[in-house]
Amino acid sequence: MIDVLKAKISEQQQQQMAQEMQLTTLHTERQELHEQVEVQHKKWQEAVQKIQTLEAAQVVNAENEQKLKELENKMTQQEQDSVIVKNMRSDLGRIPELEKELRQLKEKNAYCRSLAQLVLENCYTYIKYG
């Protein structure tokens, strides 16, 4: 009977050692899994931070695109204004010429009036004295 008990004790000790080894293995696996969770958590935090940085960059990019469009519109308006100014300068350059032409036309008009006046007076004198 003692041999049977010794055999059972020996078997129980082997089972206990096997369970302790299995427990150690499970503990090691648990620790490794915990470390993997921590690594994944850090990666997740980094990804969230990168997403936030990207979103902020997209906002800045959209603002810059809007500013670019505004500047392009201003540039187009300035180019149009420049054409108007050039045309006005051209028109202003013609003012002396137009003033001279106006003076000549006034002189010609005055000459034609005086000539018409003389013709009328001659016609009146001719009609009156025949």
Side-chain angles (χ1 to χ4, degrees), residues 7-129:
K8 281 188 175 185
I9 289 174
S10 178
E11 186 181 321
Q12 293 253 334
Q13 286 176 339
Q14 286 177 352
Q15 285 179 350
Q16 183 181 359
M17 285 178 59
Q19 286 177 346
E20 285 177 1
M21 287 186 67
Q22 186 179 11
L23 183 63
T24 303
T25 303
L26 289 173
H27 181 69
T28 304
E29 287 177 3
R30 180 182 166 267
Q31 185 66 28
E32 288 174 358
L33 288 173
H34 182 70
E35 290 172 3
Q36 287 178 2
V37 166
E38 286 181 4
V39 168
Q40 291 301 322
H41 183 71
K42 286 180 184 178
K43 286 181 180 180
W44 177 78
Q45 286 178 328
E46 290 172 359
V48 167
Q49 187 176 13
K50 286 180 181 181
I51 289 170
Q52 290 172 343
T53 302
L54 179 61
E55 288 173 345
Q58 287 174 334
V59 168
V60 170
N61 188 38
E63 290 171 353
N64 287 338
E65 285 180 7
Q66 181 63 32
K67 287 178 185 177
L68 180 62
K69 286 180 183 178
E70 290 172 3
L71 288 173
E72 286 173 344
N73 289 340
K74 279 184 180 181
M75 192 171 91
T76 300
Q77 184 63 43
Q78 286 180 347
E79 288 171 351
Q80 292 171 353
D81 291 347
S82 174
V83 169
I84 291 170
V85 167
K86 285 179 184 177
N87 290 338
M88 290 178 78
R89 284 185 180 160
S90 174
D91 289 347
L92 286 173
R94 291 189 57 220
I95 287 178
E97 179 185 328
L98 292 173
E99 287 174 341
K100 180 180 177 183
E101 185 178 344
L102 177 62
R103 189 173 52 257
Q104 289 173 346
L105 288 173
K106 283 181 179 179
E107 290 172 0
K108 190 173 185 179
N109 193 20
Y111 172 76
C112 288
R113 280 187 188 151
S114 65
L115 187 60
Q117 182 68 31
L118 283 174
V119 168
L120 282 175
E121 287 174 6
N122 284 339
C123 285
Y124 178 74
T125 304
Y126 181 74
I127 291 173
K128 186 177 182 181
Y129 298 112

